[in-house]
Amino acid sequence: MADNQPPAEAPAAEAPVDAAAASVAKLHLDEVTGKMMSKTELKRLQKAREREAAKKEKATKSGAPAPAGKKAAGSSEAAEKDLTPNQYFEIRSRTVNELHEQGKAYPYKFEVTYDIRNFEKEFSHLKNGEIDKNKILALAGRVYVRRAAGSKLFFYDLRSNGTRLQVLAQADHLGEGVPSFEEQHVNIRRGDIVGIRGYPTRTNPKTKQGQGDFSGELSIAASELILLSPCLHQIPDDHYGFKNAEQRFRQRYLDLMMNEGARNVLITRAKVDTYIRRWFDDRDFVSVQTPMLNTIAGGATAKPFITHHNDLNMDMFLRIAPELYLKMLVVGGLDRVYEMGRQFRNESMDLTHNPEFTTLEFYMAYADVYDLMKMTEELVSGLVKHVHGSYVTKYHTSKGEELEINWEAPWRRIDMIPGLEEATGEKFPTGDVLHTAETGEFLKKVLAKTGVECNPPLTNARMLDALCGEFLESQCISPTFIFGHPKMMSPLAKSHRSIPGLCERFECFVATKEICNAYTELNVATEQRLRFEEQANQKAQGDDEAQAIDETFCKALEYGLPPTGGWGMGIDRMMMFLTDNHSIREVLAFPTMKPE
């Protein structure tokens, strides 16, 4: 967020900066690890190193092995397993710093000439012990497993782009004009990023099992191995993995490194993004970008983040929705527009909500809500089929319940008020009086009768929404449209063409969660102003999520918005269903986390 102090008071704002600078100036560099620390901490660490060095020297003079946990000291990787994470980091940092000074780590470039993902398919014809020296390959990746079979033979598990490949490093395969075999391999550890030059081969196991002449493992016989970027920390063991959810999201890089599922979610997300953009582009929609900083938090019912623009000396809001800007573009003559982008809402965080999230919105001139229902079925069911190859998917809730979801069109439709009447056994007031105080008292009685809770303030819109959530949304496992909303719940939707008090809107729910929302857009300037004023009244009643009056948008409507259908979807929630994750944090590259 920007500094909340106006420009005139800038000198006062510099005090914390000066204090921070002074604090940093008191820190000292530890030349071994490269870390900055206090003078006291540095002295304590140096004394500990001196004591350790004295012990080793004493042990050497007496002929006894130097202490390093339960094993002899030295560069043995086995001995390093007994070290604490801090000890390992310190020793590894010292080694890597020396290598860097000698020019043996962190090269500027390594020319990769081969895609590791093609290796198995291209060289599957190789038989046990066979090596193809007609083609030298240069590839790179991260070391996950390192196995020694004597001093002249090492095996590495290399991974890159989601593909694993075994590296066969044998002294007999050493290339000409390269460092010695020992120099190349003595300092390689799990987690290091290395470059390999070598030839495709298949190992020749002593005992052939299953596949006869093809029972060995496809490998690259390394003629040269180059340390590109050392890993200074011990990475989690493959057997135990990296499972702690809190740490996974705080160290997302390590999560992606260790958990293939986390990586696949982000790759699937990229495929979804590409599919959606192609779908709209093929239908002559124009992709646009609208402002993130707004002077009014409009376009949705939500609490905004507030920031401050220093030069203009005014508070501004991070956008909660792009809707009003997109409709102004339609007024300007862009008949079909869409935007996929970030929104920000200063609300609670839970399994399905993150303060910043991605939405997709589109607006189509000369279309209505019924057109959008068909388009929703086509877009979403096609997307599911593209990702999964089927319209039927499985989804597991936070309670472990498995749901089977059928995304194939046509989808079920529920009319809101008749649906509530059937569920509660009560006859609801007609649509044209749903906004009145009398209806408010009626809704309070229905809440009391059914035991449904509604968070204050108890506006008519919030009480209806609570009843809808309890009795209608709970029915929606496979995609279901709920339509026929009261106008007071939808300040930007056009009035229903035949039922007074209602509007032309639908919401789509899957596994009881909303995935999209659409209207026949309100394009009557005078009525839009009245709707905004009703929202202002709700805000006066204590609903701080209600929308403010946007004069700029009202003026744009006065120039004429054609009959328009508008639609919005939460991409993150859709991704949760596509990847079978009940937590939104699993589908975000970097979810919002409270500082440790």
Side-chain angles (χ1 to χ4, degrees):
M1 294 299 171
D3 185 359
N4 283 322
Q5 299 295 330
E9 299 179 19
E14 293 175 2
V17 177
D18 294 340
S23 176
V24 171
K26 294 179 181 178
L27 299 179
H28 299 266
L29 174 66
D30 177 17
E31 294 182 355
V32 175
T33 64
K35 287 186 174 182
M36 301 296 291
M37 57 185 69
S38 68
K39 186 176 181 180
T40 302
E41 187 178 2
L42 181 59
K43 281 187 175 181
R44 188 185 303 118
L45 192 58
Q46 289 172 338
K47 287 182 179 180
R49 289 174 184 149
E50 290 172 0
R51 287 195 297 270
E52 186 68 21
K55 287 181 182 179
K56 290 181 180 179
E57 185 178 357
K58 184 177 180 181
T60 301
K61 289 180 179 179
S62 65
K70 298 180 180 179
K71 301 187 178 183
S75 60
S76 168
E77 189 174 9
E80 291 171 356
K81 292 182 179 179
D82 295 328
L83 299 175
T84 67
N86 286 339
Q87 288 173 329
Y88 181 92
F89 176 77
E90 184 175 325
I91 292 172
R92 183 67 171 153
S93 296
R94 188 185 303 123
T95 300
V96 169
N97 286 343
E98 291 173 359
L99 291 172
H100 190 203
E101 290 172 0
Q102 297 166 17
K104 298 178 180 179
Y106 303 113
Y108 286 95
K109 181 177 174 61
F110 179 81
E111 190 72 35
V112 174
T113 63
Y114 189 78
D115 190 334
I116 192 174
R117 292 172 293 187
N118 300 328
F119 194 92
E120 183 174 3
K121 182 178 180 180
E122 184 172 349
F123 300 109
S124 59
H125 63 278
L126 293 176
K127 296 181 179 179
N128 292 349
E130 191 174 354
I131 185 169
D132 182 359
K133 289 200 172 184
N134 294 320
K135 188 174 184 180
I136 187 167
L137 310 178
L139 48 84
R142 190 181 294 273
V143 173
Y144 281 77
V145 178
R146 180 179 188 267
R147 302 183 300 277
S151 60
K152 301 298 183 182
L153 177 62
F154 292 93
F155 294 93
Y156 299 96
D157 278 357
L158 194 74
R159 297 182 198 173
S160 176
N161 288 320
T163 303
R164 172 192 170 277
L165 177 64
Q166 178 172 272
V167 178
L168 171 64
Q170 194 169 7
D172 294 345
H173 296 149
L174 195 66
E176 296 182 2
V178 301
S180 69
F181 186 81
E182 181 182 5
E183 185 178 341
Q184 287 185 35
H185 297 278
V186 68
N187 291 310
I188 303 299
R189 295 293 182 269
R190 294 179 64 243
D192 289 351
I193 297 174
V194 299
I196 308 288
R197 294 190 181 95
Y199 304 94
T201 186
R202 189 185 290 273
T203 60
N204 191 16
K206 293 181 179 178
T207 304
K208 295 183 174 67
Q209 295 179 353
Q211 299 176 17
D213 290 340
F214 298 93
S215 59
E217 184 169 355
L218 281 176
S219 309
I220 180 169
S223 58
E224 182 181 13
L225 185 147
I226 302 170
L227 178 59
L228 302 179
S229 186
C231 180
L232 303 183
H233 295 274
Q234 293 169 316
I235 64 173
D237 188 275
D238 263 358
H239 177 71
Y240 296 104
F242 188 45
K243 306 293 186 185
N244 184 283
E246 188 75 10
Q247 289 305 313
R248 283 180 50 233
F249 298 129
R250 291 189 183 281
Q251 294 179 278
R252 199 56 150 145
Y253 48 88
L254 190 55
D255 181 31
L256 295 170
M257 191 189 304
M258 300 304 302
N259 296 313
E260 189 69 17
R263 180 178 178 274
N264 289 338
V265 167
L266 297 188
I267 292 174
T268 299
R269 186 167 187 134
K271 292 178 180 177
V272 168
D273 185 290
T274 301
Y275 179 91
I276 289 173
R277 293 186 184 279
R278 185 184 300 118
W279 193 90
F280 281 102
D281 293 345
D282 289 346
R283 287 157 181 78
D284 295 326
F285 280 79
V286 178
S287 175
V288 296
Q289 293 80 42
T290 58
M292 293 282 188
L293 286 176
N294 299 167
T295 54
I296 291 177
T301 302
K303 291 182 183 178
F305 283 95
I306 303 174
T307 186
H308 188 81
H309 194 297
N310 290 337
D311 196 35
L312 297 177
N313 192 21
M314 62 181 292
D315 284 345
M316 299 189 76
F317 304 95
L318 295 184
R319 74 176 182 190
I320 57 176
E323 177 169 345
L324 303 185
Y325 283 110
L326 292 173
K327 285 194 280 194
M328 285 191 277
L329 291 175
V330 178
V331 171
L334 294 177
D335 287 348
R336 298 185 178 194
V337 294
Y338 76 95
E339 180 173 12
M340 200 176 331
R342 291 299 238 193
Q343 319 306 328
F344 306 87
R345 297 184 182 179
N346 196 358
E347 299 172 344
S348 59
M349 293 165 50
D350 57 33
L351 287 175
T352 59
H353 294 88
N354 193 68
E356 58 174 309
F357 56 99
T358 302
T359 65
L360 165 67
E361 292 201 17
F362 77 83
Y363 292 83
M364 182 177 178
Y366 314 112
D368 65 12
V369 73
Y370 302 105
D371 297 316
L372 300 190
M373 282 187 178
K374 295 177 183 177
M375 293 177 71
T376 303
E377 290 174 337
E378 182 183 347
L379 169 63
V380 177
S381 62
L383 173 61
V384 173
K385 185 72 178 291
H386 174 73
V387 172
H388 287 285
S390 169
Y391 291 116
V392 179
T393 63
K394 302 287 187 183
Y395 178 71
H396 295 82
T397 68
S398 58
K399 297 179 181 179
E401 180 184 5
E402 182 180 90
L403 303 177
E404 183 176 278
I405 302 172
N406 187 349
W407 301 83
E408 189 171 9
W411 297 348
R412 182 188 176 197
R413 303 183 182 191
I414 299 176
D415 197 342
M416 179 184 287
I417 299 302
L420 288 176
E421 289 178 338
E422 182 180 349
T424 62
E426 296 284 346
K427 180 64 178 177
F428 276 58
T430 57
D432 57 343
V433 295
L434 284 174
H435 64 287
T436 63
E438 291 78 7
T439 298
E441 293 303 316
F442 166 80
L443 292 173
K444 289 176 183 177
K445 292 177 182 178
V446 175
L447 289 174
K449 171 188 171 182
T450 57
V452 175
E453 294 184 2
C454 177
N455 294 327
L458 298 182
T459 62
N460 292 11
R462 293 174 73 93
M463 289 189 284
L464 271 173
D465 189 55
L467 290 169
C468 188
E470 178 70 21
F471 295 113
L472 303 185
E473 296 169 16
S474 59
Q475 302 178 30
C476 306
I477 303 303
S478 291
T480 304
F481 294 117
I482 296 178
F483 65 99
H485 295 65
K487 287 197 296 185
M488 64 183 175
M489 298 177 70
S490 314
L492 299 170
K494 196 175 183 73
S495 299
H496 197 286
R497 63 193 71 184
S498 59
I499 305 176
L502 302 187
C503 64
E504 298 207 343
R505 173 189 181 188
F506 73 75
E507 294 176 288
C508 182
F509 290 84
V510 177
T512 75
K513 305 297 182 185
E514 179 195 342
I515 61 166
C516 66
N517 185 22
Y519 314 142
T520 301
E521 295 294 339
L522 177 59
N523 60 349
V524 182
T526 53
E527 187 177 350
Q528 179 64 80
R529 185 177 297 278
L530 291 174
R531 299 277 191 91
F532 277 147
E533 289 173 355
E534 172 60 27
Q535 286 282 296
N537 291 335
Q538 291 185 27
K539 187 177 284 289
Q541 294 177 40
D543 188 352
D544 54 2
E545 295 183 356
Q547 298 183 44
I549 299 174
D550 190 324
E551 293 291 349
T552 302
F553 178 66
C554 288
K555 187 170 184 178
L557 283 189
E558 292 170 359
Y559 283 86
L561 173 69
T564 298
W567 184 96
M569 168 184 276
I571 294 296
D572 306 305
R573 192 167 294 177
M574 188 66 206
M575 281 300 307
M576 291 166 63
F577 291 121
L578 288 174
T579 59
D580 190 13
N581 282 298
H582 65 262
S583 172
I584 194 172
R585 297 197 297 182
E586 295 285 359
V587 301
L588 300 174
F590 296 97
T592 302
M593 303 288 290
K594 185 177 181 179
E596 290 184 289

